[in-house]
Amino acid sequence: TAGGSRRSAPFAPGQGLKENARRRLKEFDVGDKFSRLPLPGAAVLLPLVLRGGRLHLLLTVRALQLRRSPGEVCFPGGKSEAGDKDEIDTALREAKEEVGLQPEKVEVICRLMPGIDRMNHLVTPVVGFIEDTFQAAPNPDEVSEVFFVPLEYFIKPLNYKALSYKTSSGYLTRMHCFVYDDQEHNKSFKIWGLTAHFAVFLALVIFGERPTFEVDYDLDNLILSSENNFLNLYASIHERKKSNL
């Protein structure tokens, strides 16, 4: 469809938060469209939970003894393994290993537009609903903390800054950086990088509202512009790989 006609009706809280979110997310499901790109694969689970009439997102803090990105906030996830059927399998397996979330307790909705991390892994975000009764059991070898952030914080933050970021291939992009004050843990969490990128995109998809900060998308055609952004990033990495040959 031409122009902005792909944009569906704005989010209406009265219509059942989950139903509305499911409908919007399914419009943005990329399935396995990018799965065969020649980059090593990884996946993360974006677990949504309805608490007190608001959607929240589960996040983790990486254990301090980890070699890569110790102490950083991220979603449960990791690299694809030979036994994984697809990215959904990877995300669910990792969430079970990291926070004790049983795969059958996740209502998987979709796979969203992938990202590319610092190690040039193709990272696919898998979105699913979990029950508000879920009690995380963090694996101390991998996760030091688990916390929840209201999803709308990623379009209407109280503490936000944008960093301009150049990828290893020289592609210039905007990096979101949020600081969230968690009353439950009485501490602040810094959410940035690919984790923040996925959280922002998820909030844009579900709420269909303009955020209070600048984003690198055409919000009237979010599907097309998110795909173009990703393909530009991928092309910049691919060009660099060719020049290294």
Side-chain angles (χ1 to χ4, degrees):
T1 48
S5 54
R6 292 294 290 271
R7 198 169 183 206
S8 55
F11 181 80
Q15 293 174 5
L17 284 164
K18 275 192 176 179
E19 288 71 15
N20 225 309
R22 274 191 203 99
R23 178 177 59 78
R24 299 242 344 149
L25 286 163
K26 282 177 178 163
E27 287 179 34
F28 285 81
D29 188 1
V30 299
D32 60 2
K33 184 174 181 177
F34 302 99
S35 302
R36 281 172 285 284
L37 290 177
L39 290 176
V44 291
L45 184 66
L46 278 53
L48 283 167
V49 61
L50 196 56
R51 282 183 152 193
R54 295 162 87 195
L55 288 171
H56 288 69
L57 203 46
L58 179 149
L59 290 143
T60 70
V61 179
R62 289 172 62 82
L64 287 171
Q65 69 270 27
L66 289 171
R67 268 206 332 272
R68 204 165 61 78
S69 311
E72 283 188 16
V73 169
C74 64
F75 291 109
K79 287 189 277 201
S80 302
E81 290 182 0
D84 298 339
K85 286 201 302 287
D86 55 18
E87 297 94 350
I88 294 171
D89 250 24
T90 302
L92 293 176
R93 174 182 53 73
E94 289 281 348
K96 183 182 178 185
E97 288 171 14
E98 291 179 19
V99 297
L101 178 58
Q102 298 301 321
E104 66 275 10
K105 296 285 190 191
V106 183
E107 181 203 344
V108 174
I109 307 295
C110 69
R111 284 172 272 189
L112 292 178
M113 193 63 63
I116 298 172
D117 71 8
R118 285 171 285 197
M119 317 292 289
N120 286 349
H121 288 99
L122 180 75
V123 185
T124 300
V126 175
V127 185
F129 280 110
I130 62 172
E131 290 300 321
D132 63 347
T133 50
F134 170 66
Q135 294 289 320
N139 172 351
D141 294 335
E142 298 194 42
V143 171
S144 63
E145 285 183 90
V146 176
F147 65 105
F148 292 88
V149 180
L151 184 61
E152 67 200 33
Y153 195 80
F154 296 106
I155 51 170
K156 296 175 184 166
L158 297 173
N159 191 335
Y160 169 86
K161 65 172 186 250
L163 313 166
S164 70
Y165 172 70
K166 197 176 254 191
T167 66
S168 53
S169 54
Y171 182 75
L172 196 65
T173 181
R174 190 194 316 268
M175 191 186 278
H176 304 294
C177 181
F178 300 85
V179 175
Y180 178 66
D181 293 324
D182 185 10
Q183 308 300 318
E184 210 177 318
H185 290 80
N186 200 19
K187 65 163 61 167
S188 295
F189 294 102
K190 180 182 169 188
I191 306 159
W192 63 294
L194 198 55
T195 301
H197 169 81
F198 287 149
V200 167
F201 189 67
L202 179 65
L204 290 173
V205 167
I206 288 179
F207 295 121
E209 285 179 31
R210 289 193 176 271
T212 56
F213 51 88
E214 292 289 313
V215 288
D216 294 325
Y217 300 114
D218 169 5
L219 294 174
D220 293 320
N221 205 335
L222 190 52
I223 292 175
L224 189 62
S225 75
S226 63
E227 187 166 317
N228 287 342
N229 285 4
F230 170 73
L231 292 173
N232 288 339
L233 173 61
Y234 174 69
S236 76
I237 283 165
H238 221 62
E239 281 306 308
R240 185 172 138 258
K241 283 195 158 174
K242 274 196 277 197
S243 70
N244 286 349
L245 293 176

